[in-house]
Amino acid sequence: MRRRISDWLRRRTPSNREIREELDSHIQMRAELNESFGMSTDDAIRAAKRTFGNRVAIEEDVRGVYTNRHLEIAAQDIHFSLRTLIKAPASTAVIVLTLALGLGATAAIFSVLNAVMLRPLPYAEPERLVQIVENVPAGEGFGGVAQRRTAMSASDFIWWREHSTTLSHFAMMQRESRTLATPDGSLQLYGERVSPALFALRGVQPLLGRGLVADDERPDSDVVVLGEAAWREYFNSVPDIVGRRIELDSRTFSVVGVMPPQFGDQAFWVPMVVVATTNRTFLIPAEARLADGVSLETASAEVNMLGLQLRGIEPEPGAEPRFAVVRSVDELTAAVAPALRVLVVAVGVVLAIVCTNVANLLLVRGTRRQQEIAIRRSLGATRWRIARQVLTESLVLSVFAGLVAIAIAFAGVWLLKLTAAGYVNPRLGLSPSVLPRLDEIAVDPPVLAFVILLSVVTGVLFGLLPALRLSKYGERGHTSASQISTLARNSRLGHVLAAVQLACAMALLIGAGLLVGSFLRLTGIDPGFDARGVLSFELVVPGDTTAEHKLEVAETLVAHLEAHPRVTRAGFADLPPLTPSISFVSMLLIPEGKTGFEMLEEQRTQLPGEQTQTRQVSPGYLRALGARLVAGEWLDERAGADPAVLVSRPYADHYFPNGNAVGSNLTVISPPASDRVVTIGGVIDDFHLGNLDQAAERVVFIDPRQALAAPQQSARGFLTVAGSSIAFAARTTGDPTSIISDLRAIARDIDPRLAIDAAVPMERIVSGLTTRPRFYAAILTTFGAIAGFIAVIGLYGVLSYVVSQRTKELGIRMALGAQRGAVLKQVLRQGALIVSIGVVCGVAGAAALTRYLAGMLYGLTALDPVVYVLTAVVFAAAAMLAVYVPARRATTIDPLSALRYE
Amino acid sequence: MAKTPDSLQGSLELLILKTLSVEPNHGFGIALHIQTVSERLLRVEEGSLYPALHRLKKQGYLSTEWKITENGRRAKYYNLTTSGRRRFQEAESNWHSMAKGVRKVLRFA
């Protein structure tokens, strides 16, 4: 024990004082020796010190024996960096903020990528979940268009399930909504009818009870599995929910289990019994699992072979496979993958600009430090030591920036989710947002790890150039000449970097300009009605109600609503506005002057957008929406008693080019019943039924009461379809959502089984359609603005630096008689050259790259000259401002003080 | 301050160990001793001497003690430890065999 302590004492690290004392005693002893040779005391000490050499360096070397040298140097470097950075707070803040913006933006985009593309689906062995895709050739598709189908008919499904050996666990899932009776009135729940195999296929453990099992797949099954959210919201998470009986659509189901949210966001799942039908047009989404040990390729080959057999097609060697098996996750992200690629490129450009800019700022700062560096070199610091110091400084900066970037990433993700979430009618079952898996986007540990890694990588990246450059100072002695030459070299490099930044920012801004232009064009489209102040909602009537009673209920609700003090007008229709739909109506409308044969011929050659659509609307509906009548009269103000319809302007223009639509007759043919004749009562201005980005459709608006009176079952329309809802529009004074609670009360008073669903301001439905373009325009504009701002700041920094370094030279010139104007012109010319090179390269880059945006553009091409010119001019002007300020400063140099400079 | 190549460092170590095998000494004394005994053929730079001393001490070959010199000055004295003595014998025989080898090579042809 004693031995070990003395060992430790012997080896312990001596204090700095002790080392110094030891070296001092050495020098003293040498001095004494010198003195004994006859030197004076002073000379003796001086000589002793000289012989000893660099005492501080020796001291450091001795200390180095006891420490891990690399760690110690790193600690010193960090300490020194912090001191240097604090000494120049303004430029440090600019660098840290610039970097943080770049890193934060990258982190936000990475969090999207991580959630949408990289993270596996929350199921067991998610990479084995697949879908069957059929590439339907143009000749067989609807409307003569080639299609890629992931849904299949029930008969196809049964065929696959029976014959495939490479796939297991086949399941179909179909969305449906059901009304849940509660003490406060009826509620509409959105769930799925699914093959029970879906539960085994996804392999998610239930929270309570069980999932559906094979035995549930029979017609008389009455089991239901609830989603966690529905269990929580409608049943207060009661633990004894399993075994309870609940009423959906007036039918009793017994709850057998509760599934966690990752299984799906549906409120409920009920078993689907797949029955072979001859109906090949009713397609249902299906999913399967790759059988154990089977690869995607093997499964694809088998599925294609079976599929060709099913369709009765002879397999042709080398033909493009008609059927393929694709991973579910790829299918989910396929739609957004190109857009995400654009975002990744954009954020990469921002990051590149940020890095070059920071490298530039460091170079500029470093050039100011060249004396210090040269002195350190001449004192014996190696080039590597200086480079290491400069790199440490960049790393310290980037780590600080990384911390700020995390905050920016949180804010960015929040904004991103806010912009991406738009309203989409739940009944339609479309993806509820621009991005799939939006809820999963978060700044989580993988994202944080990414930020940290990225900040280190960028730190090295932007630090490398200055490190290599600056460490050269003092290589061949510290002379004014070398100073001037390094200055010239650095500022030339600075100019190149500034031009590169401007070019990148320019290209990005043009891309952003194109998206903004598209967005503006889209929002500028008049949907044909005035959404302001209108509440849209759907009324869900119990399934057993007759069509006549539904109509009565709907009309009663309209009457009660119009009696409400804040409602001016109300009406109802078969579908809410701006609902993309393909109507398969077997009814043929023949305008006066055409024969049925001519109409059939015309229909065959029509593109989908040209086909006449029919909508059933109550007489007050179009007026409640604020549609505009351009000819004739509204149906509820109509004097004549004969059955009448309204048509949209494109319909009137096409079939009655002479403007004689009003008063003309339409013959309604719907075999086997006899023909009917209706009169066109009025023409409505362009009215968008589906999307805003397509031309307004040819529409015939039919009164549902009239349709119901038709003898043909097929022409009687939506009211006869069980489970269909009725879409209402109510024009209010003020905030449309303020009447929702009154509305529910009114509905409950009419019949407690009525449910009010999807009540939203109509404006949200309209803006929901532009969510995607708005999302991309907003993100790219943000990136473009960041990039542009940083590039302009960078240019400003470089030029101000050049001016400040040339103060002396400019002073001499002016003292020798150069005009202030000439000096101004010279600096301006230099700046203008950088700006024009940057802008020209940027425009060229944009012209080459923006075609990848083509799919995201509306109403303009990827080479839209207006956007290009406008963006380039505005950006060049902003950049020239950054040139003008330092140039102006150059002319205010006072020759006398400039000559005394230094 | 050029780095001392390994072989030179090794010989500096040997010189230090040899000097200390006679009697404990301080850094200046060691430098002076080497210089005098080698008749000024060898000069030990302080920049290499002190790091070498401390390295040897860290490895446990040397122990230190602050003592008063004949001239009444405080100085740090180095002394060989037991393992230091063993190390010295090892280094010395290494040196001899290497010197013999080098001589043979140089004499050849």
Side-chain angles (χ1 to χ4, degrees):
Chain A
M1 188 71 195
R2 273 187 85 114
R3 168 90 207 208
R4 272 173 64 190
I5 290 175
S6 69
D7 253 18
W8 177 78
L9 277 175
R10 205 183 306 133
R11 290 178 202 189
R12 96 202 132 81
T13 309
S15 66
N16 292 348
R17 217 185 106 217
E18 194 183 339
I19 295 171
R20 220 170 293 139
E21 219 175 308
E22 184 184 7
L23 301 183
D24 272 346
S25 81
H26 181 112
I27 294 169
Q28 290 299 335
M29 285 189 272
R30 166 85 66 194
E32 275 165 26
L33 190 69
N34 289 344
E35 237 180 308
S36 70
F37 291 141
M39 277 192 197
S40 75
T41 315
D42 279 359
D43 285 349
I45 288 178
R46 213 172 296 129
K49 278 184 178 163
R50 201 164 42 236
T51 342
F52 195 81
N54 188 343
R55 214 191 67 176
V56 179
I58 294 175
E59 213 181 295
E60 207 172 295
D61 280 354
V62 169
R63 219 176 8 247
V65 169
Y66 295 93
T67 48
N68 183 331
R69 259 187 95 53
H70 292 285
L71 266 184
E72 202 201 16
I73 290 178
Q76 268 175 23
D77 283 350
I78 290 173
H79 183 77
F80 184 76
S81 303
L82 286 175
R83 259 184 18 219
T84 327
L85 296 178
I86 288 166
K87 248 189 265 169
S91 86
T92 302
V94 168
I95 292 177
V96 167
L97 275 181
T98 308
L99 261 178
L101 271 177
L103 291 173
T106 313
I109 293 304
F110 179 74
S111 67
V112 172
L113 276 187
N114 184 38
V116 177
M117 311 277 283
L118 305 179
R119 198 181 300 152
L121 294 172
Y123 306 133
E125 290 184 282
E127 71 289 346
R128 302 194 71 77
L129 296 192
V130 293
Q131 288 173 18
I132 294 177
V133 172
E134 179 178 7
N135 295 300
V136 183
E140 296 172 46
F142 295 127
V145 184
Q147 264 187 325
R148 185 175 179 280
R149 281 185 200 152
T150 51
M152 56 179 79
S153 70
S155 322
D156 288 4
F157 177 78
I158 291 170
W159 167 266
W160 297 122
R161 188 159 68 174
E162 278 174 7
H163 293 90
S164 173
T165 56
T166 55
L167 300 178
S168 58
H169 298 95
F170 278 85
M172 290 197 124
M173 47 273 192
Q174 191 179 12
R175 291 179 60 95
E176 61 175 26
S177 70
R178 286 174 185 265
T179 310
L180 172 76
T182 74
D184 306 326
S186 296
L187 284 166
Q188 202 61 16
L189 302 191
Y190 292 90
E192 268 180 346
R193 219 145 51 81
V194 297
S195 311
L198 185 69
F199 287 77
L201 188 148
R202 289 191 177 163
V204 176
Q205 282 303 310
L207 277 181
L208 288 177
R210 62 170 175 91
L212 298 178
V213 293
D215 190 44
D216 295 323
E217 196 168 340
R218 50 197 162 78
D220 61 335
S221 156
D222 67 344
V223 296
V224 63
V225 173
L226 293 178
E228 191 271 336
W231 174 48
R232 176 163 33 87
E233 216 166 302
Y234 309 123
F235 302 99
N236 292 318
S237 302
V238 287
D240 61 340
I241 186 75
V242 174
R244 266 215 209 177
R245 303 185 74 74
I246 61 170
E247 207 164 284
L248 291 174
D249 275 354
S250 320
R251 219 187 113 190
T252 315
F253 286 86
S254 75
V255 178
V256 293
V258 176
M259 293 305 286
Q262 84 250 32
F263 184 72
D265 56 5
Q266 275 73 24
F268 63 86
W269 293 269
V270 292
M272 176 199 284
V273 182
V274 182
V275 191
T277 60
T278 50
N279 187 344
R280 285 196 173 274
T281 52
F282 190 60
L283 306 178
I284 306 171
E287 204 167 23
R289 181 177 274 279
L290 284 175
D292 285 339
V294 173
S295 73
L296 200 65
E297 293 70 30
T298 317
S300 265
E302 191 215 33
V303 157
N304 189 42
M305 198 192 70
L306 284 173
L308 292 177
Q309 209 177 322
L310 170 71
R311 294 277 181 272
I313 303 170
E314 274 303 309
E316 263 177 69
E320 195 66 11
R322 172 144 177 164
F323 293 90
V325 174
V326 295
R327 293 210 160 82
S328 298
V329 68
D330 295 340
E331 200 52 36
L332 184 69
T333 54
V336 291
L340 286 182
R341 231 167 281 142
V342 169
L343 292 190
V344 169
V345 170
V347 87
V349 170
V350 170
L351 199 59
I353 293 179
V354 164
C355 281
T356 37
N357 199 35
V358 173
N360 224 353
L361 288 174
L362 285 182
L363 262 180
V364 164
R365 223 161 75 156
T367 314
R368 288 205 190 105
R369 273 169 57 192
Q370 56 185 320
Q371 285 205 348
E372 170 216 321
I373 289 170
I375 289 169
R376 288 175 63 199
R377 286 294 308 266
S378 63
L379 283 179
T382 58
R383 185 168 176 204
W384 162 235
R385 190 73 187 72
I386 301 282
R388 196 169 159 167
Q389 166 63 45
V390 175
L391 258 183
T392 307
E393 206 175 303
S394 340
L395 279 172
V396 168
L397 277 170
S398 67
V399 166
F400 269 124
L403 294 179
V404 182
I406 288 173
I408 293 180
F410 270 104
V413 163
W414 178 75
L415 270 174
L416 224 128
K417 287 170 87 164
L418 202 69
T419 332
Y423 175 78
V424 171
N425 189 329
R427 187 169 288 277
L428 300 170
L430 299 173
S431 160
S433 71
V434 175
L435 295 168
R437 308 173 78 185
L438 185 70
D439 295 340
E440 296 178 43
I441 298 173
V443 181
D444 50 11
V447 175
L448 293 180
F450 174 78
V451 177
I452 292 164
L453 184 75
L454 191 70
S455 67
V456 171
V457 170
T458 51
V460 172
L461 222 63
F462 68 71
L464 214 53
L465 186 65
L468 291 178
R469 266 298 156 90
L470 300 183
S471 60
K472 269 195 191 149
Y473 288 150
E475 193 102 288
R476 287 171 297 266
H478 174 238
T479 65
S480 295
S482 77
Q483 213 177 1
I484 286 168
S485 81
T486 49
L487 161 65
R489 229 182 12 236
N490 279 346
S491 62
R492 212 179 314 126
L493 183 66
H495 293 170
V496 172
L497 289 181
V500 169
Q501 287 176 48
L502 288 172
C504 289
M506 184 74 256
L508 205 50
L509 279 168
I510 289 176
L514 289 171
L515 289 179
V516 169
S518 300
F519 173 67
L520 289 180
R521 259 164 229 240
L522 265 179
T523 46
I525 292 170
D526 173 12
F529 56 87
D530 181 8
R532 282 169 303 175
V534 175
L535 182 76
S536 167
F537 65 91
E538 288 177 45
L539 178 72
V540 187
V541 188
D544 53 0
T545 323
T546 63
E548 283 74 13
H549 185 60
K550 277 188 197 171
L551 188 61
E552 235 170 81
V553 167
E555 283 172 345
T556 315
L557 185 59
V558 167
H560 282 99
L561 267 177
E562 286 184 338
H564 190 282
R566 287 201 299 279
V567 177
T568 52
R569 205 179 271 279
F572 58 92
D574 47 0
L575 286 170
L578 298 173
T579 304
S581 68
I582 306 169
S583 56
F584 300 101
V585 183
S586 55
M587 173 169 67
L588 187 63
L589 293 161
I590 304 165
E592 217 174 305
K594 294 241 182 193
T595 67
F597 181 73
E598 279 170 358
M599 284 306 290
L600 282 174
E601 262 316 287
E602 188 182 330
Q603 261 190 5
R604 223 193 313 283
T605 56
Q606 270 170 340
L607 296 173
E610 294 172 339
Q611 277 159 10
T612 300
Q613 307 278 320
T614 55
R615 280 284 163 103
Q616 295 199 14
V617 295
S618 74
Y621 177 76
L622 288 171
R623 294 176 79 186
L625 262 184
R628 297 174 300 269
L629 193 70
V630 290
E633 11 171 40
W634 294 107
L635 293 190
D636 52 348
E637 288 175 352
R638 195 176 145 75
D642 50 332
V645 295
L646 293 176
V647 298
S648 72
R649 179 148 60 184
Y651 183 90
D653 287 351
H654 182 72
Y655 292 108
F656 302 97
N658 302 326
N660 55 350
V662 177
S664 297
N665 285 335
L666 291 181
T667 309
V668 184
I669 299 181
S670 187
S674 54
D675 305 347
R676 264 181 327 131
V677 172
V678 293
T679 312
I680 296 176
V683 178
I684 300 294
D685 202 358
D686 289 7
F687 192 93
H688 287 262
L689 286 187
N691 275 312
L692 285 176
D693 54 3
Q694 282 143 20
E697 296 88 344
R698 298 171 188 164
V699 200
V700 175
F701 295 100
I702 301 170
D703 182 348
R705 182 161 283 282
Q706 223 182 81
L708 211 53
Q712 311 96 317
Q713 179 62 35
S714 60
R716 294 177 70 190
F718 75 107
L719 290 173
T720 61
V721 179
S724 70
S725 62
I726 307 171
F728 278 77
R731 179 163 293 279
T732 64
T733 52
D735 176 14
T737 54
S738 67
I739 64 159
I740 292 178
S741 54
D742 291 354
L743 167 66
R744 288 194 196 281
I746 294 172
R748 199 167 48 235
D749 288 348
I750 297 173
D751 181 343
R753 295 185 305 158
L754 296 178
I756 298 294
D757 192 31
V760 280
M762 191 68 81
E763 276 181 300
R764 271 193 67 196
I765 297 182
V766 177
S767 71
L769 285 180
T770 51
T771 305
R772 195 185 291 263
R774 185 180 58 220
F775 176 69
Y776 294 131
I779 288 198
L780 227 58
T781 307
T782 309
F783 287 173
I786 293 176
F789 181 71
I790 292 173
V792 167
I793 290 281
L795 179 67
Y796 171 82
V798 168
L799 288 178
S800 334
Y801 167 70
V802 168
V803 166
S804 77
Q805 290 294 307
R806 288 177 55 191
T807 303
K808 194 170 176 180
E809 174 213 328
L810 293 175
I812 294 172
R813 279 174 189 240
M814 280 196 269
L816 291 178
Q819 292 298 303
R820 283 177 195 279
V823 171
L824 177 71
K825 229 192 257 166
Q826 207 213 346
V827 179
L828 276 181
R829 196 163 47 220
Q830 196 178 13
L833 187 69
I834 300 176
V835 171
S836 44
I837 289 175
V839 167
V840 167
C841 291
V843 167
L849 289 173
T850 45
R851 58 196 147 99
Y852 296 107
L853 289 177
M856 298 158 76
L857 300 181
Y858 168 78
L860 38 71
T861 69
L863 295 173
D864 187 80
V866 177
V867 170
Y868 273 68
V869 170
L870 208 66
T871 323
V873 165
V874 170
F875 187 55
M880 278 316 286
L881 196 68
V883 173
Y884 182 75
V885 176
R888 179 86 207 137
R889 196 177 316 134
T891 64
T892 58
I893 291 169
D894 171 22
L896 267 182
S897 64
L899 289 176
R900 278 192 224 108
Y901 187 80
E902 269 195 9
Chain B
M1 266 170 298
K3 276 258 163 73
T4 331
D6 276 354
S7 63
L8 281 180
Q9 198 146 23
S11 36
L12 175 60
E13 237 171 58
L14 177 61
L15 295 178
I16 292 172
L17 291 171
K18 172 70 191 172
T19 310
L20 291 179
S21 75
V22 182
E23 56 173 347
N25 209 339
H26 44 75
F28 180 65
I30 296 168
L32 209 60
H33 175 84
I34 294 171
Q35 207 173 327
T36 326
V37 171
S38 70
E39 291 166 356
R40 299 203 172 220
L41 281 176
L42 299 176
R43 200 185 98 76
V44 179
E45 263 186 46
E46 286 83 346
S48 322
L49 174 68
Y50 281 94
L53 278 173
H54 283 264
R55 211 173 297 117
L56 286 168
K57 186 196 160 200
K58 195 183 165 206
Q59 287 162 346
Y61 299 136
L62 304 182
S63 61
T64 56
E65 203 181 349
W66 283 92
K67 284 203 285 203
I68 308 295
T69 66
E70 312 92 84
N71 297 355
R73 178 167 298 286
R74 246 169 72 81
K76 195 176 187 179
Y77 276 74
Y78 290 85
N79 195 6
L80 281 188
T81 61
T82 329
S83 64
R85 225 162 265 290
R86 222 177 302 129
R87 170 80 190 154
F88 164 57
Q89 280 152 11
E90 219 176 86
E92 196 181 19
S93 71
N94 278 352
W95 172 262
H96 283 311
S97 58
M98 195 184 93
K100 214 192 293 174
V102 170
R103 207 159 36 227
K104 280 186 176 166
V105 172
L106 290 179
R107 273 188 196 153
F108 181 80

